[in-house]
Amino acid sequence: MSTEGSSNGSVVPDKYRVFLHLEPPTVHWRHGKPPTFEIVNQLFEDGRTKEWPKGSLEETVQNSIKSWEMELSHKTRLQDFKTIIPEKFKLFVNGREGLSGEETLRLGSYNALLKSSLPEEFQYYKADEESFESSHEVFRACFPRGFAWEVIEVYSGPPLIAYKFRHWGFFEGPYKGHLPNGELVEFYGLGTLKVDESLKVEEAHIYYDPAELFGGLLKGKTASESQKPQNSEKDSAASVGCPFFKPKE
């Protein structure tokens, strides 16, 4: 999941998505042209905890997943994807039933990754009520500089790659009525990729705790809370039933 690009500006070589500027003119782009990633690349470079050697397995896995996310967010036809095997691809999130490539493309990365089996009243984000477009608008709004992604460690190489990742951004825009506080929001997770000899993905499994993401976003006050007058120290103590405060008769 990533607010990793916009569709403004001309196509320039991207060192983390190496084939982006080499895409043929037949590719169908969601916004009519290829995206650019300068802003989120800067966020990534400023905030990453690992800088992998060029050509290393870790860098290869990291860039492959960034490229897959780019395709999922910005291409509209599965036949234009270069990072997966379209007819075989399955995405599994937190052990749930797998999604085909077409299902994942229709839902979008956010809805695919944030579906929940919790009762509706406990859901931080209701994927069933969001479209592809609305889901991306929600997270572009709260993370205006993007939501960067890095590989922390790779535990095994092809054909079954296992890795640990980190996702982060700064809460600088509103999230569903919650006001931004500018704080870092991040979470960690684990994943596996079943790949062929050319590193195209046949099966992807992702495991993470969505509460780590929403814990940061829901810390922001709602608009109604921000308009409430601040109580005095005395009133605040009384409102929580402080055992050491006894109001005068």
Side-chain angles (χ1 to χ4, degrees):
M1 112 190 36
S2 175
T3 56
E4 282 225 335
S6 67
S7 296
N8 299 318
S10 59
V11 183
V12 295
D14 188 297
K15 55 188 171 183
Y16 307 116
R17 303 160 189 85
V18 293
F19 59 79
L20 177 59
H21 68 293
L22 302 174
E23 294 283 8
T26 54
V27 170
H28 286 205
W29 296 103
R30 189 168 297 277
H31 301 289
K33 55 187 175 182
T36 57
F37 294 88
E38 288 89 349
I39 295 175
V40 77
N41 283 351
Q42 189 64 57
L43 178 69
F44 166 72
E45 290 170 2
D46 290 344
R48 61 186 168 185
T49 61
K50 305 283 187 178
E51 188 168 355
W52 300 112
K54 189 171 181 60
S56 65
L57 177 60
E58 292 85 356
E59 187 210 37
T60 300
V61 172
Q62 181 170 265
N63 291 353
S64 295
I65 294 173
K66 284 179 180 286
S67 296
W68 172 69
E69 197 286 325
M70 176 275 292
E71 293 190 307
L72 180 57
S73 294
H74 296 281
K75 293 181 177 180
T76 61
R77 302 187 307 180
L78 210 62
Q79 69 194 64
D80 292 329
F81 280 47
K82 295 180 177 179
T83 56
I84 67 171
I85 306 171
E87 64 276 13
K88 292 184 176 181
F89 180 78
K90 284 279 189 179
L91 172 65
F92 299 84
V93 181
N94 288 336
R96 293 195 300 269
E97 183 178 354
L99 297 170
S100 69
E102 290 291 352
E103 289 171 319
T104 306
L105 181 60
R106 176 178 56 81
L107 290 170
S109 54
Y110 290 110
N111 288 336
L113 293 166
L114 293 172
K115 287 178 70 68
S116 174
S117 58
L118 285 169
E120 186 174 342
E121 63 268 26
F122 298 121
Q123 292 182 19
Y124 317 109
Y125 173 90
K126 298 177 181 178
D128 292 339
E129 297 180 5
E130 301 285 352
S131 66
F132 183 109
E133 291 76 15
S134 70
S135 67
H136 279 256
E137 288 169 4
V138 165
F139 289 98
R140 273 197 299 264
C142 67
F143 297 126
R145 286 191 284 157
F147 201 34
W149 190 94
E150 70 171 332
V151 160
I152 298 295
E153 191 167 358
V154 175
Y155 304 106
S156 62
L160 185 59
I161 300 168
Y163 63 94
K164 180 180 181 180
F165 68 88
R166 172 179 172 250
H167 224 333
W168 78 97
F170 289 89
F171 185 17
E172 297 169 327
Y175 173 75
K176 292 190 175 290
H178 290 266
L179 301 178
N181 56 22
E183 293 183 3
L184 172 69
V185 175
E186 65 180 342
F187 65 87
Y188 293 80
L190 299 171
T192 63
L193 300 171
K194 182 181 179 182
V195 299
D196 67 6
E197 61 278 1
S198 60
L199 295 184
K200 289 189 176 183
V201 180
E202 178 179 333
E203 201 170 281
H205 291 253
I206 299 173
Y207 300 89
Y208 77 106
D209 181 2
E212 291 187 8
L213 166 63
F214 292 109
L217 296 178
L218 299 180
K219 284 168 63 178
K221 292 182 179 180
T222 63
S224 58
E225 288 173 335
S226 67
Q227 293 170 0
K228 290 180 181 179
Q230 293 294 320
N231 293 329
S232 67
E233 183 177 344
K234 178 177 176 179
D235 290 340
S236 178
S239 68
V240 297
C242 176
F244 301 108
F245 176 79
K246 182 179 180 180
K248 293 182 180 178
E249 298 293 339

